[in-house]
Amino acid sequence: MAARVSIQTKDFDLSEEVARLRAQDTRVGAVCSFIGTVRDRNDGLSVSTMELEHYPGMTEKSIEAMIDEAFRRFDLYAARVIHRVGLLQPLDQIVLVAVTSAHRGQSFQACEFLMDYLKTQAPFWKKELTPEGARWVDARVSDDTALARWGIDSRNNG
């Protein structure tokens, strides 16, 4: 069985990841994926680089638990989350969330659920380099609101 979670510095290829995720599973009727990329602006300032840090082991365990919850909530066949760490530049891919299911509705919902969870609950720390210097990036209120619609309070980790 392929890994469901990878935390890595190297880039990823969407087509390779989706092919592995489907793995000749004839039950799959829907594949939904999301790729997050580094923007060159945030909160009105230009961003030249973003650096992501994590706690090895703890981060993977947290994301695995999130995927388990997605499987409880949605009728999924497979899920894959890749999150990059280290120094990234605008246009670089940061995160991939991909899921398979029999029908598109379950895939869309599960992909969105996983991304909402990642934005607020996964233990990553992001630092941006702007013209005003380096700054740590906090979760936005809108991210907390997105997670709350799934019945999860971001302040209490569930």
Side-chain angles (χ1 to χ4, degrees):
M1 180 170 140
R4 298 191 312 179
V5 177
S6 295
I7 309 300
Q8 60 194 46
T9 55
K10 67 181 172 115
D11 201 4
F12 54 85
D13 181 288
L14 175 63
S15 61
E16 288 177 15
E17 294 300 331
V18 167
R20 273 196 290 276
L21 194 65
R22 292 176 62 193
Q24 304 300 315
D25 187 344
T26 58
R27 302 172 300 163
V28 172
V31 178
C32 186
S33 64
F34 172 86
I35 294 176
T37 60
V38 178
R39 294 183 308 269
D40 68 349
R41 298 197 67 75
N42 190 22
D43 292 334
L45 292 175
S46 64
V47 174
S48 59
T49 62
M50 175 184 285
E51 189 169 2
L52 288 100
E53 299 177 2
H54 77 297
Y55 284 131
M58 183 177 108
T59 303
E60 292 87 346
K61 184 178 178 183
S62 172
I63 297 171
E64 283 287 352
M66 169 191 57
I67 291 172
D68 289 342
E69 181 62 23
F71 272 87
R72 282 190 286 279
R73 290 174 180 242
F74 308 101
D75 187 16
L76 301 178
Y77 297 137
R80 178 85 166 116
V81 173
I82 298 174
H83 208 298
R84 294 181 66 197
V85 293
L87 192 62
L88 300 170
Q89 315 243 342
L91 300 177
D92 285 349
Q93 298 181 130
I94 304 171
V95 61
L96 167 68
V97 173
V99 298
T100 64
S101 67
H103 303 285
R104 71 180 183 272
Q106 293 291 293
S107 284
F108 280 127
Q109 288 181 329
C111 194
E112 192 168 17
F113 169 80
L114 289 169
M115 202 51 231
D116 287 346
Y117 190 100
L118 274 170
K119 287 289 288 183
T120 59
Q121 301 299 295
F124 290 101
W125 294 268
K126 297 177 186 177
K127 183 170 48 174
E128 295 175 336
L129 185 59
T130 72
E132 295 181 3
R135 66 179 180 181
W136 293 99
V137 179
D138 292 325
R140 293 179 168 84
V141 172
S142 60
D143 295 331
D144 292 335
T145 301
L147 189 62
R149 72 189 166 116
W150 304 106
I152 299 173
D153 183 344
S154 64
R155 294 165 298 171
N156 297 327
N157 286 335

